[in-house]
PDB file of all heavy atoms in Angstrom:
ATOM      1  N   GLY A1025     -29.057 -43.269 -19.558  1.00  0.00           N
ATOM      2  CA  GLY A1025     -29.004 -41.804 -19.399  1.00  0.00           C
ATOM      3  C   GLY A1025     -29.637 -41.149 -20.681  1.00  0.00           C
ATOM      4  O   GLY A1025     -29.689 -41.785 -21.687  1.00  0.00           O
ATOM      5  N   LEU A1026     -30.158 -39.887 -20.463  1.00  0.00           N
ATOM      6  CA  LEU A1026     -30.706 -39.182 -21.623  1.00  0.00           C
ATOM      7  C   LEU A1026     -30.316 -37.765 -21.497  1.00  0.00           C
ATOM      8  O   LEU A1026     -30.702 -37.046 -20.624  1.00  0.00           O
ATOM      9  CB  LEU A1026     -32.253 -39.276 -21.572  1.00  0.00           C
ATOM     10  CG  LEU A1026     -33.018 -38.675 -22.726  1.00  0.00           C
ATOM     11  CD1 LEU A1026     -33.177 -37.258 -22.756  1.00  0.00           C
ATOM     12  CD2 LEU A1026     -32.409 -39.089 -24.088  1.00  0.00           C
ATOM     13  N   HIS A1027     -29.381 -37.376 -22.369  1.00  0.00           N
ATOM     14  CA  HIS A1027     -28.882 -36.038 -22.605  1.00  0.00           C
ATOM     15  C   HIS A1027     -29.386 -35.614 -23.932  1.00  0.00           C
ATOM     16  O   HIS A1027     -28.788 -35.755 -24.971  1.00  0.00           O
ATOM     17  CB  HIS A1027     -27.405 -35.883 -22.463  1.00  0.00           C
ATOM     18  CG  HIS A1027     -26.928 -34.486 -22.667  1.00  0.00           C
ATOM     19  ND1 HIS A1027     -25.595 -34.260 -23.014  1.00  0.00           N
ATOM     20  CD2 HIS A1027     -27.514 -33.336 -22.700  1.00  0.00           C
ATOM     21  CE1 HIS A1027     -25.390 -32.932 -23.211  1.00  0.00           C
ATOM     22  NE2 HIS A1027     -26.525 -32.374 -23.025  1.00  0.00           N
ATOM     23  N   TRP A1028     -30.594 -34.941 -23.985  1.00  0.00           N
ATOM     24  CA  TRP A1028     -31.240 -34.681 -25.243  1.00  0.00           C
ATOM     25  C   TRP A1028     -30.377 -33.741 -26.081  1.00  0.00           C
ATOM     26  O   TRP A1028     -30.320 -33.876 -27.287  1.00  0.00           O
ATOM     27  CB  TRP A1028     -32.599 -34.059 -25.035  1.00  0.00           C
ATOM     28  CG  TRP A1028     -33.174 -33.546 -26.341  1.00  0.00           C
ATOM     29  CD1 TRP A1028     -33.692 -34.182 -27.401  1.00  0.00           C
ATOM     30  CD2 TRP A1028     -33.208 -32.136 -26.736  1.00  0.00           C
ATOM     31  NE1 TRP A1028     -33.994 -33.369 -28.378  1.00  0.00           N
ATOM     32  CE2 TRP A1028     -33.756 -32.114 -28.016  1.00  0.00           C
ATOM     33  CE3 TRP A1028     -32.780 -30.944 -26.124  1.00  0.00           C
ATOM     34  CZ2 TRP A1028     -33.946 -30.897 -28.745  1.00  0.00           C
ATOM     35  CZ3 TRP A1028     -33.006 -29.731 -26.841  1.00  0.00           C
ATOM     36  CH2 TRP A1028     -33.488 -29.728 -28.087  1.00  0.00           C
ATOM     37  N   GLY A1029     -29.726 -32.722 -25.529  1.00  0.00           N
ATOM     38  CA  GLY A1029     -29.032 -31.773 -26.215  1.00  0.00           C
ATOM     39  C   GLY A1029     -27.928 -32.389 -27.172  1.00  0.00           C
ATOM     40  O   GLY A1029     -27.616 -31.862 -28.218  1.00  0.00           O
ATOM     41  N   LEU A1030     -27.475 -33.541 -26.714  1.00  0.00           N
ATOM     42  CA  LEU A1030     -26.407 -34.200 -27.549  1.00  0.00           C
ATOM     43  C   LEU A1030     -26.902 -34.640 -28.904  1.00  0.00           C
ATOM     44  O   LEU A1030     -26.127 -34.709 -29.848  1.00  0.00           O
ATOM     45  CB  LEU A1030     -25.916 -35.403 -26.768  1.00  0.00           C
ATOM     46  CG  LEU A1030     -24.537 -36.000 -27.061  1.00  0.00           C
ATOM     47  CD1 LEU A1030     -23.443 -34.903 -26.908  1.00  0.00           C
ATOM     48  CD2 LEU A1030     -24.226 -37.148 -26.172  1.00  0.00           C
ATOM     49  N   TYR A1031     -28.248 -34.886 -28.993  1.00  0.00           N
ATOM     50  CA  TYR A1031     -28.792 -35.261 -30.325  1.00  0.00           C
ATOM     51  C   TYR A1031     -28.653 -34.097 -31.370  1.00  0.00           C
ATOM     52  O   TYR A1031     -28.636 -34.386 -32.552  1.00  0.00           O
ATOM     53  CB  TYR A1031     -30.212 -35.735 -30.164  1.00  0.00           C
ATOM     54  CG  TYR A1031     -30.330 -37.145 -29.567  1.00  0.00           C
ATOM     55  CD1 TYR A1031     -30.615 -37.253 -28.252  1.00  0.00           C
ATOM     56  CD2 TYR A1031     -30.232 -38.258 -30.319  1.00  0.00           C
ATOM     57  CE1 TYR A1031     -30.662 -38.502 -27.610  1.00  0.00           C
ATOM     58  CE2 TYR A1031     -30.371 -39.498 -29.760  1.00  0.00           C
ATOM     59  CZ  TYR A1031     -30.587 -39.648 -28.421  1.00  0.00           C
ATOM     60  OH  TYR A1031     -30.706 -40.855 -27.879  1.00  0.00           O
ATOM     61  N   ASN A1032     -28.637 -32.898 -30.810  1.00  0.00           N
ATOM     62  CA  ASN A1032     -28.511 -31.722 -31.731  1.00  0.00           C
ATOM     63  C   ASN A1032     -27.219 -31.750 -32.583  1.00  0.00           C
ATOM     64  O   ASN A1032     -27.154 -31.313 -33.715  1.00  0.00           O
ATOM     65  CB  ASN A1032     -28.686 -30.405 -30.981  1.00  0.00           C
ATOM     66  CG  ASN A1032     -30.067 -30.120 -30.548  1.00  0.00           C
ATOM     67  OD1 ASN A1032     -30.971 -30.024 -31.424  1.00  0.00           O
ATOM     68  ND2 ASN A1032     -30.322 -29.935 -29.271  1.00  0.00           N
ATOM     69  N   THR A1033     -26.190 -32.278 -31.946  1.00  0.00           N
ATOM     70  CA  THR A1033     -24.885 -32.404 -32.605  1.00  0.00           C
ATOM     71  C   THR A1033     -24.675 -33.805 -33.265  1.00  0.00           C
ATOM     72  O   THR A1033     -24.074 -33.893 -34.312  1.00  0.00           O
ATOM     73  CB  THR A1033     -23.789 -32.051 -31.744  1.00  0.00           C
ATOM     74  OG1 THR A1033     -23.819 -32.884 -30.507  1.00  0.00           O
ATOM     75  CG2 THR A1033     -23.811 -30.569 -31.226  1.00  0.00           C
ATOM     76  N   MET A1034     -25.110 -34.857 -32.538  1.00  0.00           N
ATOM     77  CA  MET A1034     -24.807 -36.194 -33.015  1.00  0.00           C
ATOM     78  C   MET A1034     -25.811 -36.690 -34.030  1.00  0.00           C
ATOM     79  O   MET A1034     -25.500 -37.543 -34.913  1.00  0.00           O
ATOM     80  CB  MET A1034     -24.733 -37.157 -31.850  1.00  0.00           C
ATOM     81  CG  MET A1034     -23.802 -36.777 -30.752  1.00  0.00           C
ATOM     82  SD  MET A1034     -22.034 -36.757 -31.361  1.00  0.00           S
ATOM     83  CE  MET A1034     -21.817 -38.499 -31.631  1.00  0.00           C
ATOM     84  N   ASP A1035     -27.117 -36.258 -33.936  1.00  0.00           N
ATOM     85  CA  ASP A1035     -28.149 -36.774 -34.845  1.00  0.00           C
ATOM     86  C   ASP A1035     -29.180 -35.799 -35.067  1.00  0.00           C
ATOM     87  O   ASP A1035     -30.355 -36.006 -34.622  1.00  0.00           O
ATOM     88  CB  ASP A1035     -28.683 -38.104 -34.257  1.00  0.00           C
ATOM     89  CG  ASP A1035     -29.539 -38.905 -35.229  1.00  0.00           C
ATOM     90  OD1 ASP A1035     -29.763 -38.381 -36.413  1.00  0.00           O
ATOM     91  OD2 ASP A1035     -29.902 -40.036 -34.984  1.00  0.00           O
ATOM     92  N   PRO A1036     -28.908 -34.622 -35.646  1.00  0.00           N
ATOM     93  CA  PRO A1036     -29.919 -33.547 -35.781  1.00  0.00           C
ATOM     94  C   PRO A1036     -31.123 -34.016 -36.629  1.00  0.00           C
ATOM     95  O   PRO A1036     -32.216 -33.465 -36.426  1.00  0.00           O
ATOM     96  CB  PRO A1036     -29.139 -32.403 -36.476  1.00  0.00           C
ATOM     97  CG  PRO A1036     -27.946 -33.027 -37.068  1.00  0.00           C
ATOM     98  CD  PRO A1036     -27.627 -34.240 -36.230  1.00  0.00           C
ATOM     99  N   ALA A1037     -30.962 -34.899 -37.495  1.00  0.00           N
ATOM    100  CA  ALA A1037     -32.132 -35.422 -38.271  1.00  0.00           C
ATOM    101  C   ALA A1037     -33.146 -36.049 -37.357  1.00  0.00           C
ATOM    102  O   ALA A1037     -34.350 -36.026 -37.613  1.00  0.00           O
ATOM    103  CB  ALA A1037     -31.707 -36.378 -39.342  1.00  0.00           C
ATOM    104  N   ALA A1038     -32.689 -36.725 -36.319  1.00  0.00           N
ATOM    105  CA  ALA A1038     -33.612 -37.359 -35.386  1.00  0.00           C
ATOM    106  C   ALA A1038     -34.410 -36.299 -34.598  1.00  0.00           C
ATOM    107  O   ALA A1038     -35.555 -36.486 -34.269  1.00  0.00           O
ATOM    108  CB  ALA A1038     -32.841 -38.235 -34.398  1.00  0.00           C
ATOM    109  N   VAL A1039     -33.793 -35.139 -34.342  1.00  0.00           N
ATOM    110  CA  VAL A1039     -34.519 -34.031 -33.628  1.00  0.00           C
ATOM    111  C   VAL A1039     -35.608 -33.552 -34.498  1.00  0.00           C
ATOM    112  O   VAL A1039     -36.741 -33.311 -34.057  1.00  0.00           O
ATOM    113  CB  VAL A1039     -33.488 -32.924 -33.261  1.00  0.00           C
ATOM    114  CG1 VAL A1039     -34.245 -31.735 -32.716  1.00  0.00           C
ATOM    115  CG2 VAL A1039     -32.481 -33.441 -32.252  1.00  0.00           C
ATOM    116  N   LEU A1040     -35.323 -33.350 -35.749  1.00  0.00           N
ATOM    117  CA  LEU A1040     -36.366 -32.874 -36.744  1.00  0.00           C
ATOM    118  C   LEU A1040     -37.505 -33.881 -36.873  1.00  0.00           C
ATOM    119  O   LEU A1040     -38.670 -33.527 -36.828  1.00  0.00           O
ATOM    120  CB  LEU A1040     -35.762 -32.632 -38.122  1.00  0.00           C
ATOM    121  CG  LEU A1040     -36.717 -32.157 -39.201  1.00  0.00           C
ATOM    122  CD1 LEU A1040     -37.403 -30.899 -38.803  1.00  0.00           C
ATOM    123  CD2 LEU A1040     -35.928 -32.004 -40.495  1.00  0.00           C
ATOM    124  N   ALA A1041     -37.160 -35.182 -36.990  1.00  0.00           N
ATOM    125  CA  ALA A1041     -38.198 -36.221 -37.083  1.00  0.00           C
ATOM    126  C   ALA A1041     -39.031 -36.234 -35.813  1.00  0.00           C
ATOM    127  O   ALA A1041     -40.297 -36.417 -35.836  1.00  0.00           O
ATOM    128  CB  ALA A1041     -37.519 -37.563 -37.337  1.00  0.00           C
ATOM    129  N   CYS A1042     -38.367 -36.063 -34.656  1.00  0.00           N
ATOM    130  CA  CYS A1042     -39.113 -36.031 -33.393  1.00  0.00           C
ATOM    131  C   CYS A1042     -40.046 -34.835 -33.385  1.00  0.00           C
ATOM    132  O   CYS A1042     -41.257 -34.930 -32.953  1.00  0.00           O
ATOM    133  CB  CYS A1042     -38.209 -35.959 -32.211  1.00  0.00           C
ATOM    134  SG  CYS A1042     -38.997 -35.834 -30.636  1.00  0.00           S
ATOM    135  N   HIS A1043     -39.619 -33.620 -33.894  1.00  0.00           N
ATOM    136  CA  HIS A1043     -40.482 -32.486 -33.846  1.00  0.00           C
ATOM    137  C   HIS A1043     -41.726 -32.760 -34.748  1.00  0.00           C
ATOM    138  O   HIS A1043     -42.827 -32.332 -34.415  1.00  0.00           O
ATOM    139  CB  HIS A1043     -39.780 -31.287 -34.408  1.00  0.00           C
ATOM    140  CG  HIS A1043     -40.563 -30.082 -34.441  1.00  0.00           C
ATOM    141  ND1 HIS A1043     -41.054 -29.378 -33.350  1.00  0.00           N
ATOM    142  CD2 HIS A1043     -41.040 -29.269 -35.473  1.00  0.00           C
ATOM    143  CE1 HIS A1043     -41.839 -28.330 -33.677  1.00  0.00           C
ATOM    144  NE2 HIS A1043     -41.778 -28.193 -34.996  1.00  0.00           N
ATOM    145  N   GLU A1044     -41.505 -33.416 -35.890  1.00  0.00           N
ATOM    146  CA  GLU A1044     -42.656 -33.748 -36.712  1.00  0.00           C
ATOM    147  C   GLU A1044     -43.687 -34.610 -36.076  1.00  0.00           C
ATOM    148  O   GLU A1044     -44.835 -34.452 -36.173  1.00  0.00           O
ATOM    149  CB  GLU A1044     -42.114 -34.346 -38.031  1.00  0.00           C
ATOM    150  CG  GLU A1044     -41.357 -33.378 -38.942  1.00  0.00           C
ATOM    151  CD  GLU A1044     -40.670 -34.060 -40.089  1.00  0.00           C
ATOM    152  OE1 GLU A1044     -40.696 -35.258 -40.197  1.00  0.00           O
ATOM    153  OE2 GLU A1044     -40.092 -33.310 -40.992  1.00  0.00           O
ATOM    154  N   GLU A1045     -43.152 -35.606 -35.337  1.00  0.00           N
ATOM    155  CA  GLU A1045     -44.062 -36.430 -34.528  1.00  0.00           C
ATOM    156  C   GLU A1045     -44.796 -35.799 -33.398  1.00  0.00           C
ATOM    157  O   GLU A1045     -45.977 -35.908 -33.223  1.00  0.00           O
ATOM    158  CB  GLU A1045     -43.287 -37.646 -33.978  1.00  0.00           C
ATOM    159  CG  GLU A1045     -44.021 -38.601 -33.038  1.00  0.00           C
ATOM    160  CD  GLU A1045     -45.058 -39.363 -33.866  1.00  0.00           C
ATOM    161  OE1 GLU A1045     -45.010 -39.406 -35.137  1.00  0.00           O
ATOM    162  OE2 GLU A1045     -46.047 -39.831 -33.131  1.00  0.00           O
ATOM    163  N   LEU A1046     -44.079 -34.806 -32.761  1.00  0.00           N
ATOM    164  CA  LEU A1046     -44.698 -34.028 -31.708  1.00  0.00           C
ATOM    165  C   LEU A1046     -45.796 -33.117 -32.281  1.00  0.00           C
ATOM    166  O   LEU A1046     -46.840 -32.927 -31.680  1.00  0.00           O
ATOM    167  CB  LEU A1046     -43.641 -33.242 -30.899  1.00  0.00           C
ATOM    168  CG  LEU A1046     -42.604 -34.091 -30.067  1.00  0.00           C
ATOM    169  CD1 LEU A1046     -41.572 -33.155 -29.519  1.00  0.00           C
ATOM    170  CD2 LEU A1046     -43.317 -34.892 -29.019  1.00  0.00           C
ATOM    171  N   THR A1047     -45.477 -32.525 -33.326  1.00  0.00           N
ATOM    172  CA  THR A1047     -46.437 -31.596 -34.061  1.00  0.00           C
ATOM    173  C   THR A1047     -47.682 -32.397 -34.433  1.00  0.00           C
ATOM    174  O   THR A1047     -48.869 -31.854 -34.251  1.00  0.00           O
ATOM    175  CB  THR A1047     -45.840 -31.006 -35.317  1.00  0.00           C
ATOM    176  OG1 THR A1047     -44.658 -30.240 -34.935  1.00  0.00           O
ATOM    177  CG2 THR A1047     -46.762 -30.130 -36.055  1.00  0.00           C
ATOM    178  N   LYS A1048     -47.548 -33.655 -34.856  1.00  0.00           N
ATOM    179  CA  LYS A1048     -48.675 -34.404 -35.200  1.00  0.00           C
ATOM    180  C   LYS A1048     -49.482 -34.791 -33.978  1.00  0.00           C
ATOM    181  O   LYS A1048     -50.724 -34.686 -33.989  1.00  0.00           O
ATOM    182  CB  LYS A1048     -48.147 -35.766 -35.923  1.00  0.00           C
ATOM    183  CG  LYS A1048     -49.288 -36.740 -36.202  1.00  0.00           C
ATOM    184  CD  LYS A1048     -48.723 -38.026 -36.828  1.00  0.00           C
ATOM    185  CE  LYS A1048     -49.718 -39.119 -37.006  1.00  0.00           C
ATOM    186  NZ  LYS A1048     -49.208 -40.386 -37.517  1.00  0.00           N
ATOM    187  N   LEU A1049     -48.805 -35.226 -32.917  1.00  0.00           N
ATOM    188  CA  LEU A1049     -49.462 -35.582 -31.662  1.00  0.00           C
ATOM    189  C   LEU A1049     -50.255 -34.332 -31.082  1.00  0.00           C
ATOM    190  O   LEU A1049     -51.387 -34.474 -30.540  1.00  0.00           O
ATOM    191  CB  LEU A1049     -48.480 -36.044 -30.660  1.00  0.00           C
ATOM    192  CG  LEU A1049     -47.903 -37.449 -30.925  1.00  0.00           C
ATOM    193  CD1 LEU A1049     -46.775 -37.759 -29.951  1.00  0.00           C
ATOM    194  CD2 LEU A1049     -48.985 -38.548 -30.907  1.00  0.00           C
ATOM    195  N   ALA A1050     -49.622 -33.146 -31.189  1.00  0.00           N
ATOM    196  CA  ALA A1050     -50.247 -31.947 -30.756  1.00  0.00           C
ATOM    197  C   ALA A1050     -51.534 -31.646 -31.574  1.00  0.00           C
ATOM    198  O   ALA A1050     -52.617 -31.280 -30.954  1.00  0.00           O
ATOM    199  CB  ALA A1050     -49.272 -30.772 -30.771  1.00  0.00           C
ATOM    200  N   ALA A1051     -51.430 -31.817 -32.923  1.00  0.00           N
ATOM    201  CA  ALA A1051     -52.659 -31.542 -33.764  1.00  0.00           C
ATOM    202  C   ALA A1051     -53.746 -32.539 -33.443  1.00  0.00           C
ATOM    203  O   ALA A1051     -54.908 -32.143 -33.563  1.00  0.00           O
ATOM    204  CB  ALA A1051     -52.225 -31.675 -35.214  1.00  0.00           C
ATOM    205  N   GLU A1052     -53.394 -33.787 -32.964  1.00  0.00           N
ATOM    206  CA  GLU A1052     -54.371 -34.711 -32.645  1.00  0.00           C
ATOM    207  C   GLU A1052     -54.933 -34.514 -31.275  1.00  0.00           C
ATOM    208  O   GLU A1052     -55.920 -35.219 -30.861  1.00  0.00           O
ATOM    209  CB  GLU A1052     -53.826 -36.181 -32.770  1.00  0.00           C
ATOM    210  CG  GLU A1052     -53.335 -36.548 -34.150  1.00  0.00           C
ATOM    211  CD  GLU A1052     -52.584 -37.815 -34.230  1.00  0.00           C
ATOM    212  OE1 GLU A1052     -52.220 -38.301 -33.067  1.00  0.00           O
ATOM    213  OE2 GLU A1052     -52.335 -38.340 -35.274  1.00  0.00           O
TER     214      GLU A1052
END
């Protein structure tokens, strides 16, 4: 299962790291 919203409370650092990766992929 994947409930993404749960990462905001359980592992917010992972959300930030993911955003940095997505930003990089978008720039490329």
